[in-house]
């Protein structure tokens, strides 16, 4: 992994960090300030960013996750967790007691409530859709973004846990939670908005905290965040929830009523923009309609795998055979996700993912990059980062909206002086 490069804009209103990508064997399902912060990241399977934490500073690599609240670091070295943060080596590390207001009130939006351990310290647990889970203590520490020190940042210092992907754990130190909860990294930093841009070409990108005012960035199309006041069992109130209104294959709109995209009385069926998930997952009836139309429009263009026993990553069952001697995929029908006020067009290579190491009779196996949420046991539509490539995506916390604009993200990184 390349070292993170950081540069400040001339206006000093934005901090930009270079995002670098972790290439892993398989994916996971998984106060206002006057400075702007930008960081560089990696993607492909997980988006990662490198920061320094503690006094003296220790380098950590964190997975970027807009679907989570609590940021956390591995704090105990084990066979799987090679990259850790050592709290004993930091003079600024401070564990959070149970009696603290942070433990008693600010943990309320965490999916698993905080508890009190035998040492009267605030105990935190996180778990994910791929069955990974981590436990440890809440603590505060100094995080550095570029040259900017952020003392008192609350995070989880995790010492036990189970992971379904030991390859990832050998390469990352933890996770940066960026949803709208009170303990998320972006909320604690106090920025009114943040953006990222993921390159589809070279596994690089940009993470930007603050205002993105660049002459080369075209105006963004905004879609409002959907918010509810009453708690519902299946609705994540601190996620970046937008309203999906329809899906097109080429120019044909799927014949589905808009009601299938609206959350029901339990909150099931929200549409979340999630950088911590690789692919995009749709609830069963919508996925089936998309799959059938895509099969219809690719007849004579692609050869179906026709193996009912093969489901990629447990939720992606539309797969094709592509001859090994074929250097590029044929022209494919694009898929457009239609949101209220904005549209996300998925085309070309982003529509297909080559299953690593899988060969069938002189053919590679490629799978359609939309999956069935029902097969994952997820009661939501999830827009993953694979379909966010070459889009400038802005999360505006003040105006409660998400903005989209098409852009070459590898060139954006160069324009911002990150050398990505």
């Amino acid at each position: 992994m390349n070292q993170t490069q950081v540069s400040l804009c001339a206006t000093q209103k934005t901090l930009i960090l270079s995002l670098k990508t972790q290439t892993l064997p398989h994916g996971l399902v998984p106060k206002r300030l006057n400075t702007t912060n930008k960081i560089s990241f990696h993607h492909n399977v997980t988006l990662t960013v490198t920061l320094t934490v503690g006094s003296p500073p220790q380098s950590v690599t964190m997975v970027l996750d807009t679907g989570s609240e609590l940021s956390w670091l591995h704090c105990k070295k084990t066979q799987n967790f090679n990259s850790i943060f050592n709290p004993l080596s930091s003079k600024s590390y401070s564990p959070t007691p149970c009696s603290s207001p942070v433990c008693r009130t600010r943990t309320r939006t965490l999916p698993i409530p905080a508890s009190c351990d035998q040492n009267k310290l605030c105990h935190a647990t996180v778990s994910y859709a791929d069955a990974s889970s981590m436990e440890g203590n809440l603590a505060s520490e100094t995080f550095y973004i570029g040259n900017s020190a952020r003392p008192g940042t609350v995070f989880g210092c995790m010492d036990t846990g189970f992971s379904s992907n030991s390859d990832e754990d050998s390469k990352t130190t933890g996770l940066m939670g960026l949803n709208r909860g009170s303990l998320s990294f972006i909320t604690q930093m106090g920025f009114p908005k943040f953006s990222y841009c993921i390159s589809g070409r070279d596994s690089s990108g940009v993470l930007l905290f603050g205002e993105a005012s660049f002459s080369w960035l075209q105006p963004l199309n905004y879609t409002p965040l959907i918010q509810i006041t009453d708690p519902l069992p299946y609705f994540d109130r601190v996620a970046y929830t937008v309203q999906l209104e329809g899906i097109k294959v080429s120019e044909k709109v799927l014949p589905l009523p808009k009601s299938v995209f609206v959350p029901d009385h339990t909150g099931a069926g929200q549409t979340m923009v999630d950088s911590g998930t690789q692919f995009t997952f749709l609830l069963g009836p919508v996925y089936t309609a998309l799959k059938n139309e895509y099969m219809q429009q690719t007849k004579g263009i692609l050869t179906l795998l026709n193996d009912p026993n093969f489901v990629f990553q447990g939720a992606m069952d539309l797969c094709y055979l592509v001859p090994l001697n074929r250097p590029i995929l044929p022209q494919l029908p694009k898929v457009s996700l239609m949101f209220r006020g904005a549209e996300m067009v998925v085309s070309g290579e982003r529509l297909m993912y080559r299953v690593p190491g899988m060969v069938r009779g002189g053919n590679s196996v490629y799978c359609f990059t939309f999956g069935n949420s029902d097969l994952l046991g997820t009661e939501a539509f999830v827009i993953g980062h694979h379909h966010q490539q070459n889009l400038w995506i802005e999360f505006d916390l003040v105006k409660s909206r998400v903005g989209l604009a098409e852009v070459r993200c590898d060139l954006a990184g160069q324009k911002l002086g990150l050398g990505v």
Side-chain angles (χ1 to χ4, degrees):
M1 179 176 299
N2 298 340
Q3 284 203 321
T4 301
Q5 301 167 10
V6 180
S7 66
L8 285 169
C9 295
T11 60
Q12 292 296 305
K13 288 184 179 177
T14 308
L15 177 56
I16 307 167
L17 293 134
S18 163
L19 289 170
K20 300 295 179 188
T21 314
Q22 292 283 46
T23 304
L24 305 175
H26 55 81
L28 295 179
V29 182
K31 128 200 154 168
R32 224 166 275 195
L33 300 171
N34 292 325
T35 49
T36 300
N37 298 349
K38 66 183 180 183
I39 310 176
S40 129
F41 67 80
H42 269 302
H43 74 93
N44 187 6
V45 175
T46 53
L47 309 176
T48 60
V49 62
T50 301
L51 303 172
T52 53
V53 179
S55 309
Q58 301 175 42
S59 180
V60 299
T61 299
M62 304 177 78
V63 174
L64 201 70
D65 189 2
T66 59
S68 295
E69 177 172 355
L70 184 66
S71 300
W72 55 265
L73 298 171
H74 292 301
C75 289
K76 183 178 180 181
K77 189 154 190 172
T78 69
Q79 186 175 356
N80 291 333
F81 307 152
N82 296 323
S83 175
I84 69 160
F85 169 74
N86 185 355
L88 300 177
S89 300
S90 174
K91 293 178 292 196
S92 48
Y93 176 82
S94 176
T96 302
C98 300
S99 56
S100 160
V102 168
C103 190
R104 286 188 287 118
T105 62
R106 292 184 66 190
T107 58
R108 287 176 182 167
T109 49
L110 296 179
I112 301 173
S115 59
C116 200
D117 71 9
Q118 60 188 14
N119 297 318
K120 295 187 177 178
L121 296 177
C122 194
H123 185 80
T125 303
V126 293
S127 63
Y128 302 96
D130 68 337
S132 299
S133 63
M134 299 291 157
E135 294 188 43
N137 290 117
L138 278 193
S140 60
E141 182 56 284
T142 302
F143 279 65
Y144 296 88
I145 304 178
N147 297 320
S148 174
R150 302 300 171 102
T153 300
V154 178
F155 74 109
C157 196
M158 304 311 202
D159 53 19
T160 59
F162 165 78
S163 172
S164 64
N165 192 330
S166 58
D167 295 286
E168 179 189 11
D169 287 317
S170 67
K171 297 175 183 177
T172 61
T173 323
L175 179 141
M176 180 186 287
L178 286 170
N179 74 8
R180 297 185 299 127
S182 72
L183 286 179
S184 84
F185 196 79
I186 188 68
T187 303
Q188 291 192 67
M189 293 299 105
F191 287 105
K193 59 179 68 171
F194 71 97
S195 312
Y196 57 69
C197 192
I198 308 164
S199 168
R201 179 161 295 203
D202 59 1
S203 300
S204 65
V206 175
L207 170 63
L208 181 148
F209 293 115
E211 192 69 47
S213 299
F214 307 114
S215 59
W216 45 264
L217 182 62
Q218 64 183 3
L220 275 62
N221 291 317
Y222 288 97
T223 185
L225 290 173
I226 305 302
Q227 303 183 71
I228 64 166
T229 52
D230 297 326
L232 296 174
Y234 291 108
F235 193 95
D236 183 347
R237 288 190 293 164
V238 289
Y240 294 103
T241 300
V242 294
Q243 187 57 63
L244 184 60
E245 294 188 328
I247 298 176
K248 287 189 298 190
V249 181
S250 294
E251 293 306 314
K252 182 176 179 181
V253 179
L254 298 181
L256 294 165
K258 285 193 175 182
S259 59
V260 302
F261 299 106
V262 177
D264 66 17
H265 66 283
T266 69
Q270 71 188 111
T271 299
M272 298 183 285
V273 183
D274 185 6
S275 69
T277 297
Q278 185 178 10
F279 299 115
T280 293
F281 298 94
L282 309 171
L283 289 179
V286 177
Y287 171 73
T288 300
L290 173 60
K291 174 185 172 181
N292 290 340
E293 182 60 33
Y294 206 80
M295 285 169 56
Q296 185 65 34
Q297 291 199 27
T298 52
K299 273 185 179 175
I301 300 174
L302 290 172
T303 304
L304 278 170
L305 174 63
N306 273 332
D307 180 355
N309 296 318
F310 181 73
V311 181
F312 184 52
Q313 293 192 8
M316 299 156 75
D317 61 358
L318 178 54
C319 300
Y320 296 92
L321 296 172
V322 178
L324 286 168
N325 58 8
R326 184 167 203 160
I328 57 172
L329 290 168
Q331 187 84 20
L332 298 172
K334 64 187 179 183
V335 175
S336 302
L337 302 175
M338 299 181 293
F339 302 105
R340 188 176 298 164
E343 195 169 288
M344 183 182 287
V345 180
V346 181
S347 60
E349 293 180 349
R350 288 182 294 162
L351 289 162
M352 293 289 158
Y353 187 81
R354 182 177 178 175
V355 180
M358 189 169 177
V359 177
R360 293 280 181 95
N363 297 289
S364 300
V365 175
Y366 282 77
C367 292
F368 190 46
T369 52
F370 291 83
N372 189 340
S373 293
D374 294 6
L375 295 178
L376 292 178
T378 302
E379 300 283 342
F381 298 94
V382 182
I383 313 300
H385 66 72
H386 187 78
H387 293 161
Q388 299 173 40
Q389 292 176 26
N390 287 323
L391 286 174
W392 189 275
I393 302 186
E394 177 185 277
F395 298 84
D396 186 334
L397 285 76
V398 173
K399 294 184 177 178
S400 294
R401 60 186 186 171
V402 175
L404 307 174
E406 291 192 5
V407 65
R408 276 276 304 277
C409 293
D410 55 336
L411 299 181
Q414 292 171 20
K415 291 176 195 284
L416 292 170
L418 293 172
V420 298

